Each structure stands twice: as C-alpha cells, then as structure tokens.
Amino acid sequence: MNTPLSGKMPTIALAAVALFLVVIMPALNAGGIVSDFTLNTWGKYLCYAMLGIAVDLLWGYTGLLCLAQALFFSLGGYMFGMHLMLMIGKLGQYKSDLPDFMVFLGLKELPGFWQPFYSFPFATLMVLAVPGLLAWVFGYLAFRSRIKGVYFSILTQALTYAAWLIFLSNDIITMGGNNGFTDFRTVLGADIRSPETRRILYIASAVALTLIFIGCKWLTTSRFGLIQRAIRDSENRVLFSGYSAANFKLFVFVISGMIAAVGGALYVPQVGIINPGEMATANSLEAVVWVAVGGRGTLIGPIIGAIGVNRLKSWATTEYPDYWLIILGATFVLVVLFMPKGIVGIPGQIRAIIERRKHRQTIREEDLAAANPSPEAE
Amino acid sequence: MSLIPYILAAEGLNKSFDGFKAINDLNFSLEKGELRTVIGPNGAGKTTFLDLITGRTKPDTGTLHFEQTNDLLKMNEYEIYRLGIGRKFQTPTVYTDHTVRENLLLSLAGPRSIWHSLFGKIRKEQEERMDEILHTIKLTSRAHAKAGSLAHGQKQWLEIGMLLAQDAKLLLVDEPAAGMTDEETYRTGELLLSLAGKHTIVVIEHDMTFVRQISQGRLVTVLHQGNVLCEGPVDKVQNDERVIEVYLGRKKKAA
Ligand SMILES: Nc1ncnc2c1ncn2[C@@H]1O[C@H](COP(=O)(O)OP(=O)(O)O)[C@@H](O)[C@H]1O
Ligand SMILES: [Mg+2]
C-alpha cells in the first residue's frame, strides 16, 4: 500500500495490536480489569470495523461509493438472528416452539424457509451465501449495464430502501417486521448474556477482524489490487488493456458484501437485537464517514475511523443527544476539507509541511548568502 | 472476401452525434505490417474512428473487420483488445497513482482473468521485458515514481511503453507527439519506425515534420469531415489541391 502510515507501519506493530485485541483485552476482562460493558462495547466496534473495511474495499480501493453495505451487514445479522430466534425454544413469552412474533402473528407452524436455520452450520453458511448472492445478482446487473459514479450510489441506496420496506412488513416476508428479532437466549447451548459467552463473542469478532484484515491486505497488494485501483483511477485504460472491469468490480462487490455480513452476524448476538432500522441508509452513510475519517484507500483507516467515530458518538449521544447528526456532518466536512487522507494521512501531511518549511528555509538562506557574500568565501 | 489480406477493413462507416456526422461513409483498409499516418484538421473524426475500431463507440451503419474474420462491431473493448489491438489515447491515459513499472506490469501481454491477477506469478522474462521497455522509453530512473508525477511528454512515452508491453498486432496511436519537445518528437518517430513491419501501426498526427519523418513514402490518409479526402505519399498529399484547401491551406493562413 502506498499511504505513509500503513506503508511504513511495521508488521510487528500490527501484530501487537491484533494480539492486544484478540488475547490481552479478553484476558484483562477475565481478570476483572476491563469491565464486561467495555468489552462488549469494543466487540461492537470491531464489528463496525468490518463494515468499514467492506465500505473502503469498494469506495477507497475501487472508486465505488456503495450505500448498500449496511444492508449486507443487516442481512448477515438477520441470517444469524434466525438461528438465535429458533434457539429460544419454549423460553419465549408465549412458551411456544415458534418465535414470539410468529405466535403474535397467529402462525401455526414455522415457515418452510425457517426450518433449516435450526442448524448452526447452515445459518453460518447463509450468513455468507445470502448477502453474497444478493451482491452478485445486483452487481452483475449494475456493472454489466456500466452504471457508474453517482448513479451507482443512488441505485445501491434504492436497493437498501427496497429491502428496508420489505423487512418492515411481516406480510411480505416473515422476518419479524418493525421489531425484528430480539430476546435471544442461547448460542451453541450457552447463555448468550453471560460474561463468558460475551467474551467468546468478543474474541470471535477480534479474530474475524484480524483474518479479514490479513485477507484484504493480501488481496489489495496482489496484482488484483493494482487492477482494482486502476479501475478507480482510469477505468477506460483498464478496459483498453483487456481487463473486464465489470468482472473485477463484481468480485470485489461480492467479497465486500460478505465481509459486511460477517460483521453483522457477530454484531447481532452482542447487541441482542436486529431490526430494519439497522439497514437504514443513514447507517451506510455513517460507515462512509468512518472510512473518510480514518483514511480511505487503506485498511487500517476504516478500523481507526469506525472505532474513533463510534467513541465520539457514544460520548456525543450522552452529552448532546440532539446534536449528534450535526457533529457527524461537521466532522465529515472538516475531514474532507482539511484531512483528505483521514487520520492515517496526518503523519504524511505533517511531513509535507515540515519539508515545505525546510525548503523555504534553504531558499531564504541561499538568498541571504547571495545578498551578503561572506568574505571567507572568496 | 477480398484477395488482399487486409488486417483491418472498414466499409461504409457512419456515426452521428446528435445529427452531426462525425464519420461519414468512411472506407479504410490496412495491410499487415503497414505504418499508416492519418492526418486531418481538428474535428475531422480521427479520434472517433479509433473509438469505432476499439469498441468505445458503435457506428450507426457500416462494417469493421479485423483479420477478415473478426467482426469488431460485435465485440466490446476488452474483447477487441484481446484480438491484439492496442491503443494510445490522445490525452495520455496512464494509471496516475501507480508507479511507472506497475503501469507496464498491468499492460504486459498475458492472461486477464481474476484468478491470474490473484495467483499468477511474474515470470523472469516478463521482468526483463519491463526493464527493456523502461530503457526504450527512457524511464528507467523513474521506474518507481508515480506515473502522475511524470512530465506530459513522459506520460506519452509511458503510454507508448504500455503498448509495447502489450505486444499488440495493431497499434493505434493518437497524436503521440502532442506536448513533446522537437527532440522528444523525433525520438518518438524513431521508436515508431523501429516497430513498423513487426506490428501494423496507425499514427494520427498533426505535426507535418513528424509525418514526413515517419511516413517516408508510405501511405498517408487525409481525413476530412469524417471521410477519406485523399490517400498517397506525403508529397503527393501535401500538393493535393483539396488537401491544401481544407487543411494545409488553412494552416498556412493561420501561420
Ligand atoms: N462522444 C461524442 N459526442 C458528441 N460529439 C462528439 C463525440 N465524439 C466526437 N464528437 C464530435 O465529432 C467530431 C470529430 O471529433 P474527433 O474524432 O475527436 O476529431 P479529431 O480527432 O479528428 O480532431 C468533433 O466535431 C467532435 O465534437
Ligand atoms: Mg483527435
């Protein structure tokens, strides 16, 4: 990669961060130093970070500003949520085998498509397959028709909106409607609310993020990554160099959708709820802001951005609950204006300023020397 | 099917933009190994003609064949590229955020699949080929600089280098000398001449000194209002009444 910070940041430092997130944080939690609440919050942040990477893989690396990543995130969450709903069993309000909302709707038996979600492996597979397939179908149509730029963004937003409407209504699809899924009890037989289970869910998120980071690092530094950025910078040249840009974009689009979905699937058991609100366009936009703040076109940027902006959000929503959107918008504008490469680009910006200073300094000294030639020099 | 093995044959091409006929009943054929220069005043349709050949735009009517059997009108940009047709754009089009060497790497002849982009290894002879091209286009010392930081003329050269890397059968070169110094222009001409014969080349150019240098008695095609006005060696073309009228004459007046 070519940004100053990530390019020079030694692998050791990254490995240390990964070790801290995967091993040390949960160990500190087990030892009572890090609270359950803090660990759970960080577990959510790590899921957001996966969403951020998904957005950046499209936006920063390929030049596709996609506003459907919150949808893929939610779909991943819903797929895993279906399994969690079935695992509630008779522990629900209505003491029925059916999830509560189905009893409430007056259903007598489980809809057929819910049946296989009793299986954990099946649900896990669907977490990847359903968003992946949707991304493939949508991407195939969009990229084959050469839909680009702002039209692509609008289309992805329309897709998200349509999905939102569908999920809101229990008449169209039996997915919990407005309230979505909640009140989960167990995951793989363990109490989902116990500190131990939460710790494991946190570790799973940290491991998933680490693996996604490594995978994306490999992808973006391969020749594939070169082509990805080439499409971003000059799609014409790519086409006239014999590459099917549409196929390459489709591939990234599907991968990105699946990464977002993994984030969503790990997010849902940690927050204990998934509903259509999660796929609102505002959420996709927020993820775009994380990436801009952290530094797009890098992998570390979206992680820093997702964690940083969400820290800011939890502070702002308690201190100034009415102003959060304004603060978010202002942050975005400031970053776009003054930090085009985000937080990750700051060291480079500072270096550039210092170099310019130095350059000016030497010019001034040369001018001085030219104006007052020293007698020794003769 | 004609008797002469034309590598490229266009018949009755027409292309209008909002009623304006950019290409008007154009017939054009090219023999294998030829170096053809195409001249013509601004707006004559030269670039549009290359757009038609490379699949960037489709004509309203007409036919366009490559090596007799390939109907270019049924193909898209990358399929046409894969037949062995390479193009240098009028405004240098390189990957500005990539290094010079990476630009060449992406242009090297070879598989274009996603699989290959992920797992394909760069072979030793490919490395050597890139070194060789860097030397030819005089960018060895800038190999690891970003292409965006190159001077205009250097970008032109890099794009020519990308064509070399591709090893195309037919090279379409749109105004390669634009923005170059006289010396660079001359060297560009020598480079194109050295490729003639091995490749079939179409060069679009304005600069008559340059046209003289590279045509050397070969055919020059004059395009005017989307149609071939006349064709012949540069001396004949330059003395043609109609050409003087539409092109050279106007230039002389302007000068
Ligand atoms: N995509 C387009 N849309 C509208 N007009 C175009 C387009 N491409 C070319 N033209 C017009 O066609 C004419 C020929 O242009 P061009 O082929 O670029 O000429 P040349 O390269 O010979 O200078 C010009 O008048 C130009 O404005
Ligand atoms: Mg032109």
Side-chain angles (χ1 to χ4, degrees), chain A residues 255-314:
Chain A
I255 297 274
S256 164
M258 295 203 289
I259 290 174
V262 171
L266 286 161
Y267 178 79
V268 166
Q270 297 189 76
V271 296
I273 183 166
I274 173 77
N275 60 38
E278 206 61 58
M279 54 178 81
T281 311
N283 283 21
S284 286
L285 282 171
E286 221 169 283
V288 168
V289 178
W290 306 339
V291 174
V293 168
R296 69 182 162 130
T298 70
L299 290 173
I300 206 81
I303 301 176
I304 294 175
I307 296 172
V309 175
N310 278 294
R311 282 240 66 104
L312 182 69
K313 184 179 185 175
S314 36

Short mmCIF file of all heavy atoms in Angstrom, two decimals, chain A residues 255-314:
data_model
loop_
_atom_site.label_atom_id
_atom_site.label_comp_id
_atom_site.label_asym_id
_atom_site.label_seq_id
_atom_site.Cartn_x
_atom_site.Cartn_y
_atom_site.Cartn_z
N ILE A 255 -17.23 -9.91 -2.41
CA ILE A 255 -16.35 -10.06 -1.24
C ILE A 255 -16.72 -9.04 -0.17
O ILE A 255 -16.86 -9.35 1.02
CB ILE A 255 -14.86 -9.85 -1.64
CG1 ILE A 255 -14.42 -10.91 -2.64
CG2 ILE A 255 -13.96 -9.83 -0.42
CD1 ILE A 255 -13.95 -12.19 -2.05
N SER A 256 -16.90 -7.80 -0.60
CA SER A 256 -17.22 -6.74 0.34
C SER A 256 -18.55 -7.00 1.03
O SER A 256 -18.67 -6.81 2.25
CB SER A 256 -17.25 -5.40 -0.41
OG SER A 256 -17.90 -4.43 0.37
N GLY A 257 -19.55 -7.46 0.27
CA GLY A 257 -20.84 -7.77 0.86
C GLY A 257 -20.71 -8.85 1.93
O GLY A 257 -21.33 -8.77 3.00
N MET A 258 -19.87 -9.84 1.66
CA MET A 258 -19.72 -10.93 2.62
C MET A 258 -18.96 -10.47 3.87
O MET A 258 -19.26 -10.92 4.97
CB MET A 258 -19.04 -12.12 1.95
CG MET A 258 -19.92 -12.70 0.83
SD MET A 258 -19.60 -14.42 0.40
CE MET A 258 -18.04 -14.31 -0.39
N ILE A 259 -18.00 -9.58 3.68
CA ILE A 259 -17.27 -9.06 4.85
C ILE A 259 -18.22 -8.28 5.75
O ILE A 259 -18.24 -8.46 6.98
CB ILE A 259 -16.09 -8.16 4.40
CG1 ILE A 259 -15.01 -9.03 3.75
CG2 ILE A 259 -15.52 -7.38 5.58
CD1 ILE A 259 -13.87 -8.24 3.14
N ALA A 260 -19.05 -7.43 5.14
CA ALA A 260 -20.04 -6.67 5.92
C ALA A 260 -20.96 -7.65 6.65
O ALA A 260 -21.30 -7.44 7.82
CB ALA A 260 -20.84 -5.75 5.01
N ALA A 261 -21.35 -8.73 5.98
CA ALA A 261 -22.27 -9.70 6.56
C ALA A 261 -21.67 -10.40 7.78
O ALA A 261 -22.36 -10.62 8.78
CB ALA A 261 -22.68 -10.73 5.52
N VAL A 262 -20.39 -10.72 7.71
CA VAL A 262 -19.73 -11.34 8.86
C VAL A 262 -19.79 -10.39 10.05
O VAL A 262 -20.10 -10.79 11.18
CB VAL A 262 -18.27 -11.71 8.52
CG1 VAL A 262 -17.52 -12.14 9.77
CG2 VAL A 262 -18.23 -12.82 7.48
N GLY A 263 -19.51 -9.10 9.77
CA GLY A 263 -19.61 -8.10 10.83
C GLY A 263 -20.99 -8.10 11.46
O GLY A 263 -21.15 -8.11 12.68
N GLY A 264 -22.01 -8.11 10.61
CA GLY A 264 -23.39 -8.08 11.09
C GLY A 264 -23.75 -9.32 11.91
O GLY A 264 -24.42 -9.22 12.94
N ALA A 265 -23.29 -10.47 11.44
CA ALA A 265 -23.63 -11.72 12.13
C ALA A 265 -23.01 -11.75 13.52
O ALA A 265 -23.59 -12.31 14.45
CB ALA A 265 -23.14 -12.91 11.31
N LEU A 266 -21.83 -11.17 13.69
CA LEU A 266 -21.20 -11.15 15.01
C LEU A 266 -21.76 -10.02 15.88
O LEU A 266 -21.72 -10.08 17.11
CB LEU A 266 -19.68 -11.00 14.86
CG LEU A 266 -18.98 -12.27 14.37
CD1 LEU A 266 -17.61 -11.96 13.80
CD2 LEU A 266 -18.88 -13.29 15.50
N TYR A 267 -22.29 -9.02 15.23
CA TYR A 267 -22.83 -7.85 15.93
C TYR A 267 -24.13 -8.20 16.66
O TYR A 267 -24.32 -7.85 17.82
CB TYR A 267 -23.08 -6.76 14.89
CG TYR A 267 -23.67 -5.48 15.37
CD1 TYR A 267 -22.89 -4.52 16.01
CD2 TYR A 267 -25.02 -5.19 15.16
CE1 TYR A 267 -23.44 -3.32 16.43
CE2 TYR A 267 -25.57 -4.00 15.57
CZ TYR A 267 -24.79 -3.06 16.21
OH TYR A 267 -25.33 -1.87 16.62
N VAL A 268 -25.01 -8.92 15.94
CA VAL A 268 -26.35 -9.19 16.47
C VAL A 268 -26.35 -9.91 17.81
O VAL A 268 -27.02 -9.47 18.75
CB VAL A 268 -27.19 -9.91 15.40
CG1 VAL A 268 -28.45 -10.50 16.00
CG2 VAL A 268 -27.53 -8.93 14.28
N PRO A 269 -25.61 -11.02 18.00
CA PRO A 269 -25.65 -11.65 19.32
C PRO A 269 -25.04 -10.77 20.41
O PRO A 269 -25.38 -10.93 21.58
CB PRO A 269 -24.81 -12.93 19.13
CG PRO A 269 -24.00 -12.71 17.89
CD PRO A 269 -24.82 -11.79 17.03
N GLN A 270 -24.19 -9.82 20.05
CA GLN A 270 -23.56 -8.97 21.06
C GLN A 270 -24.47 -7.83 21.50
O GLN A 270 -24.42 -7.39 22.64
CB GLN A 270 -22.23 -8.41 20.56
CG GLN A 270 -21.22 -9.53 20.31
CD GLN A 270 -19.82 -9.02 20.03
OE1 GLN A 270 -19.12 -8.60 20.92
NE2 GLN A 270 -19.44 -9.04 18.76
N VAL A 271 -25.30 -7.33 20.57
CA VAL A 271 -26.22 -6.26 20.97
C VAL A 271 -27.59 -6.82 21.31
O VAL A 271 -28.42 -6.13 21.91
CB VAL A 271 -26.37 -5.17 19.89
CG1 VAL A 271 -25.05 -4.46 19.64
CG2 VAL A 271 -26.90 -5.75 18.59
N GLY A 272 -27.85 -8.06 20.91
CA GLY A 272 -29.09 -8.71 21.30
C GLY A 272 -30.31 -8.31 20.50
O GLY A 272 -31.44 -8.62 20.91
N ILE A 273 -30.13 -7.64 19.38
CA ILE A 273 -31.30 -7.23 18.59
C ILE A 273 -30.90 -6.97 17.14
O ILE A 273 -29.77 -6.54 16.86
CB ILE A 273 -31.95 -5.96 19.21
CG1 ILE A 273 -33.23 -5.57 18.44
CG2 ILE A 273 -30.98 -4.80 19.22
CD1 ILE A 273 -34.08 -4.55 19.17
N ILE A 274 -31.82 -7.26 16.24
CA ILE A 274 -31.65 -6.82 14.85
C ILE A 274 -33.04 -6.45 14.32
O ILE A 274 -33.99 -7.20 14.48
CB ILE A 274 -30.98 -7.90 13.95
CG1 ILE A 274 -30.98 -7.49 12.48
CG2 ILE A 274 -31.67 -9.26 14.07
CD1 ILE A 274 -29.94 -6.49 12.11
N ASN A 275 -33.15 -5.26 13.76
CA ASN A 275 -34.42 -4.85 13.14
C ASN A 275 -34.12 -4.01 11.91
O ASN A 275 -32.96 -3.67 11.65
CB ASN A 275 -35.30 -4.12 14.15
CG ASN A 275 -34.65 -2.86 14.70
OD1 ASN A 275 -33.97 -2.15 13.97
ND2 ASN A 275 -34.84 -2.62 15.98
N PRO A 276 -35.13 -3.68 11.12
CA PRO A 276 -34.88 -3.00 9.84
C PRO A 276 -34.15 -1.66 10.00
O PRO A 276 -33.51 -1.19 9.07
CB PRO A 276 -36.28 -2.79 9.26
CG PRO A 276 -37.10 -3.86 9.87
CD PRO A 276 -36.56 -4.02 11.26
N GLY A 277 -34.24 -1.06 11.19
CA GLY A 277 -33.55 0.21 11.42
C GLY A 277 -32.07 0.10 11.12
O GLY A 277 -31.43 1.07 10.70
N GLU A 278 -31.53 -1.10 11.30
CA GLU A 278 -30.10 -1.33 11.10
C GLU A 278 -29.68 -1.15 9.64
O GLU A 278 -28.52 -0.90 9.34
CB GLU A 278 -29.75 -2.74 11.58
CG GLU A 278 -28.33 -2.94 12.03
CD GLU A 278 -27.96 -2.04 13.19
OE1 GLU A 278 -28.62 -2.11 14.26
OE2 GLU A 278 -27.01 -1.27 13.02
N MET A 279 -30.64 -1.30 8.71
CA MET A 279 -30.26 -1.18 7.30
C MET A 279 -30.63 0.19 6.72
O MET A 279 -30.55 0.39 5.52
CB MET A 279 -30.86 -2.31 6.46
CG MET A 279 -32.34 -2.49 6.56
SD MET A 279 -32.94 -3.82 5.46
CE MET A 279 -32.61 -5.31 6.38
N ALA A 280 -31.00 1.12 7.58
CA ALA A 280 -31.33 2.47 7.10
C ALA A 280 -30.15 3.07 6.34
O ALA A 280 -28.99 2.78 6.66
CB ALA A 280 -31.71 3.36 8.27
N THR A 281 -30.46 3.88 5.35
CA THR A 281 -29.40 4.50 4.54
C THR A 281 -28.42 5.28 5.41
O THR A 281 -27.22 5.31 5.14
CB THR A 281 -30.00 5.44 3.49
OG1 THR A 281 -31.03 4.76 2.82
CG2 THR A 281 -28.95 5.88 2.51
N ALA A 282 -28.97 5.91 6.47
CA ALA A 282 -28.11 6.69 7.35
C ALA A 282 -26.96 5.84 7.87
O ALA A 282 -25.84 6.33 8.04
CB ALA A 282 -28.93 7.25 8.51
N ASN A 283 -27.22 4.56 8.11
CA ASN A 283 -26.16 3.69 8.62
C ASN A 283 -25.06 3.47 7.59
O ASN A 283 -23.88 3.42 7.93
CB ASN A 283 -26.74 2.36 9.06
CG ASN A 283 -27.44 2.47 10.40
OD1 ASN A 283 -27.82 3.57 10.80
ND2 ASN A 283 -27.62 1.35 11.08
N SER A 284 -25.45 3.31 6.33
CA SER A 284 -24.44 3.17 5.28
C SER A 284 -23.62 4.44 5.19
O SER A 284 -22.40 4.41 5.02
CB SER A 284 -25.10 2.90 3.94
OG SER A 284 -25.58 1.58 3.88
N LEU A 285 -24.30 5.57 5.29
CA LEU A 285 -23.59 6.86 5.20
C LEU A 285 -22.63 7.03 6.36
O LEU A 285 -21.51 7.51 6.18
CB LEU A 285 -24.60 8.01 5.20
CG LEU A 285 -25.31 8.24 3.87
CD1 LEU A 285 -26.43 9.25 4.02
CD2 LEU A 285 -24.31 8.73 2.82
N GLU A 286 -23.08 6.60 7.56
CA GLU A 286 -22.22 6.72 8.72
C GLU A 286 -20.93 5.92 8.50
O GLU A 286 -19.84 6.38 8.80
CB GLU A 286 -22.96 6.24 9.96
CG GLU A 286 -22.69 7.11 11.17
CD GLU A 286 -23.62 6.80 12.33
OE1 GLU A 286 -24.80 7.23 12.28
OE2 GLU A 286 -23.18 6.13 13.26
N ALA A 287 -21.08 4.74 7.92
CA ALA A 287 -19.90 3.90 7.65
C ALA A 287 -18.97 4.60 6.65
O ALA A 287 -17.74 4.49 6.75
CB ALA A 287 -20.33 2.54 7.13
N VAL A 288 -19.55 5.33 5.71
CA VAL A 288 -18.73 6.08 4.76
C VAL A 288 -17.92 7.15 5.51
O VAL A 288 -16.74 7.37 5.23
CB VAL A 288 -19.62 6.72 3.66
CG1 VAL A 288 -18.84 7.74 2.85
CG2 VAL A 288 -20.19 5.64 2.75
N VAL A 289 -18.58 7.78 6.49
CA VAL A 289 -17.87 8.80 7.28
C VAL A 289 -16.71 8.16 8.06
O VAL A 289 -15.61 8.72 8.11
CB VAL A 289 -18.84 9.54 8.23
CG1 VAL A 289 -18.09 10.55 9.09
CG2 VAL A 289 -19.95 10.22 7.45
N TRP A 290 -16.94 6.99 8.63
CA TRP A 290 -15.84 6.32 9.36
C TRP A 290 -14.63 6.18 8.46
O TRP A 290 -13.50 6.44 8.86
CB TRP A 290 -16.21 4.90 9.81
CG TRP A 290 -17.46 4.77 10.60
CD1 TRP A 290 -18.10 5.76 11.31
CD2 TRP A 290 -18.24 3.58 10.77
NE1 TRP A 290 -19.23 5.25 11.89
CE2 TRP A 290 -19.34 3.92 11.59
CE3 TRP A 290 -18.10 2.27 10.31
CZ2 TRP A 290 -20.30 2.98 11.95
CZ3 TRP A 290 -19.05 1.34 10.68
CH2 TRP A 290 -20.15 1.69 11.49
N VAL A 291 -14.90 5.74 7.24
CA VAL A 291 -13.80 5.47 6.31
C VAL A 291 -13.09 6.78 5.94
O VAL A 291 -11.87 6.84 5.91
CB VAL A 291 -14.32 4.74 5.05
CG1 VAL A 291 -13.22 4.59 4.02
CG2 VAL A 291 -14.89 3.38 5.42
N ALA A 292 -13.88 7.83 5.69
CA ALA A 292 -13.27 9.11 5.34
C ALA A 292 -12.42 9.62 6.49
O ALA A 292 -11.32 10.12 6.30
CB ALA A 292 -14.36 10.12 4.98
N VAL A 293 -12.94 9.49 7.72
CA VAL A 293 -12.22 9.99 8.89
C VAL A 293 -10.94 9.17 9.12
O VAL A 293 -9.87 9.71 9.34
CB VAL A 293 -13.12 9.95 10.14
CG1 VAL A 293 -12.31 10.18 11.41
CG2 VAL A 293 -14.23 10.97 10.03
N GLY A 294 -11.05 7.88 9.03
CA GLY A 294 -9.89 7.03 9.29
C GLY A 294 -8.85 7.12 8.18
O GLY A 294 -7.66 7.09 8.43
N GLY A 295 -9.31 7.22 6.97
CA GLY A 295 -8.40 7.27 5.83
C GLY A 295 -8.76 6.22 4.81
O GLY A 295 -8.55 5.04 5.05
N ARG A 296 -9.31 6.68 3.69
CA ARG A 296 -9.75 5.68 2.72
C ARG A 296 -8.60 5.22 1.84
O ARG A 296 -7.58 5.89 1.76
CB ARG A 296 -10.91 6.20 1.88
CG ARG A 296 -10.58 7.30 0.94
CD ARG A 296 -11.87 7.69 0.26
NE ARG A 296 -11.77 8.98 -0.35
CZ ARG A 296 -12.12 9.22 -1.61
NH1 ARG A 296 -12.56 8.25 -2.36
NH2 ARG A 296 -12.01 10.43 -2.09
N GLY A 297 -8.82 4.07 1.24
CA GLY A 297 -7.75 3.50 0.43
C GLY A 297 -6.67 2.87 1.30
O GLY A 297 -5.58 2.58 0.83
N THR A 298 -6.96 2.68 2.58
CA THR A 298 -6.05 1.94 3.47
C THR A 298 -6.92 0.95 4.23
O THR A 298 -8.14 1.08 4.26
CB THR A 298 -5.38 2.86 4.51
OG1 THR A 298 -6.38 3.29 5.44
CG2 THR A 298 -4.74 4.07 3.85
N LEU A 299 -6.30 -0.03 4.85
CA LEU A 299 -7.10 -0.99 5.61
C LEU A 299 -7.16 -0.62 7.08
O LEU A 299 -8.13 -0.92 7.77
CB LEU A 299 -6.51 -2.40 5.46
CG LEU A 299 -6.68 -2.98 4.07
CD1 LEU A 299 -5.94 -4.29 3.93
CD2 LEU A 299 -8.17 -3.17 3.76
N ILE A 300 -6.13 0.07 7.54
CA ILE A 300 -6.10 0.45 8.94
C ILE A 300 -7.05 1.63 9.17
O ILE A 300 -7.67 1.76 10.22
CB ILE A 300 -4.64 0.75 9.37
CG1 ILE A 300 -4.46 0.53 10.85
CG2 ILE A 300 -4.17 2.11 8.97
CD1 ILE A 300 -4.27 -0.89 11.19
N GLY A 301 -7.20 2.46 8.13
CA GLY A 301 -8.06 3.66 8.23
C GLY A 301 -9.49 3.35 8.65
O GLY A 301 -9.98 3.95 9.62
N PRO A 302 -10.17 2.45 7.96
CA PRO A 302 -11.56 2.17 8.34
C PRO A 302 -11.67 1.64 9.78
O PRO A 302 -12.66 1.93 10.45
CB PRO A 302 -11.98 1.07 7.36
CG PRO A 302 -11.04 1.15 6.23
CD PRO A 302 -9.77 1.73 6.75
N ILE A 303 -10.66 0.93 10.24
CA ILE A 303 -10.72 0.40 11.61
C ILE A 303 -10.61 1.56 12.60
O ILE A 303 -11.43 1.69 13.52
CB ILE A 303 -9.59 -0.63 11.84
CG1 ILE A 303 -9.73 -1.79 10.85
CG2 ILE A 303 -9.60 -1.13 13.27
CD1 ILE A 303 -8.62 -2.82 10.93
N ILE A 304 -9.61 2.42 12.37
CA ILE A 304 -9.45 3.58 13.25
C ILE A 304 -10.69 4.46 13.19
O ILE A 304 -11.20 4.93 14.20
CB ILE A 304 -8.20 4.39 12.83
CG1 ILE A 304 -6.93 3.55 13.08
CG2 ILE A 304 -8.13 5.72 13.58
CD1 ILE A 304 -5.66 4.22 12.60
N GLY A 305 -11.20 4.66 11.97
CA GLY A 305 -12.37 5.51 11.78
C GLY A 305 -13.60 4.94 12.47
O GLY A 305 -14.34 5.66 13.15
N ALA A 306 -13.84 3.65 12.32
CA ALA A 306 -15.03 3.02 12.91
C ALA A 306 -14.98 3.14 14.43
O ALA A 306 -15.97 3.50 15.07
CB ALA A 306 -15.12 1.56 12.49
N ILE A 307 -13.82 2.86 14.99
CA ILE A 307 -13.71 2.92 16.45
C ILE A 307 -13.77 4.36 16.92
O ILE A 307 -14.52 4.70 17.83
CB ILE A 307 -12.41 2.23 16.92
CG1 ILE A 307 -12.46 0.74 16.56
CG2 ILE A 307 -12.20 2.42 18.41
CD1 ILE A 307 -11.17 -0.01 16.80
N GLY A 308 -13.02 5.24 16.25
CA GLY A 308 -12.95 6.64 16.66
C GLY A 308 -14.30 7.33 16.60
O GLY A 308 -14.74 7.95 17.58
N VAL A 309 -14.97 7.21 15.47
CA VAL A 309 -16.25 7.92 15.31
C VAL A 309 -17.29 7.35 16.27
O VAL A 309 -18.11 8.09 16.81
CB VAL A 309 -16.74 7.85 13.84
CG1 VAL A 309 -18.12 8.47 13.71
CG2 VAL A 309 -15.76 8.55 12.92
N ASN A 310 -17.24 6.04 16.52
CA ASN A 310 -18.23 5.48 17.43
C ASN A 310 -17.97 5.85 18.88
O ASN A 310 -18.90 5.97 19.67
CB ASN A 310 -18.33 3.97 17.24
CG ASN A 310 -19.22 3.64 16.07
OD1 ASN A 310 -20.42 3.90 16.11
ND2 ASN A 310 -18.63 3.14 14.99
N ARG A 311 -16.70 6.04 19.22
CA ARG A 311 -16.39 6.57 20.56
C ARG A 311 -16.98 7.96 20.68
O ARG A 311 -17.63 8.31 21.66
CB ARG A 311 -14.87 6.66 20.77
CG ARG A 311 -14.19 5.36 21.09
CD ARG A 311 -13.50 5.44 22.45
NE ARG A 311 -14.46 5.58 23.54
CZ ARG A 311 -14.78 4.59 24.36
NH1 ARG A 311 -14.23 3.41 24.23
NH2 ARG A 311 -15.63 4.78 25.33
N LEU A 312 -16.73 8.75 19.64
CA LEU A 312 -17.27 10.11 19.60
C LEU A 312 -18.78 10.07 19.71
O LEU A 312 -19.40 10.86 20.43
CB LEU A 312 -16.84 10.79 18.29
CG LEU A 312 -17.26 12.24 18.09
CD1 LEU A 312 -16.51 13.15 19.05
CD2 LEU A 312 -17.00 12.67 16.64
N LYS A 313 -19.38 9.11 19.03
CA LYS A 313 -20.84 9.00 19.02
C LYS A 313 -21.37 8.68 20.41
O LYS A 313 -22.33 9.29 20.88
CB LYS A 313 -21.28 7.93 18.04
CG LYS A 313 -22.78 7.81 17.91
CD LYS A 313 -23.15 6.73 16.90
CE LYS A 313 -24.65 6.68 16.68
NZ LYS A 313 -25.00 5.71 15.63
N SER A 314 -20.73 7.72 21.10
CA SER A 314 -21.28 7.38 22.41
C SER A 314 -21.10 8.54 23.39
O SER A 314 -21.96 8.75 24.25
CB SER A 314 -20.70 6.07 22.97
OG SER A 314 -19.37 5.92 22.63
#
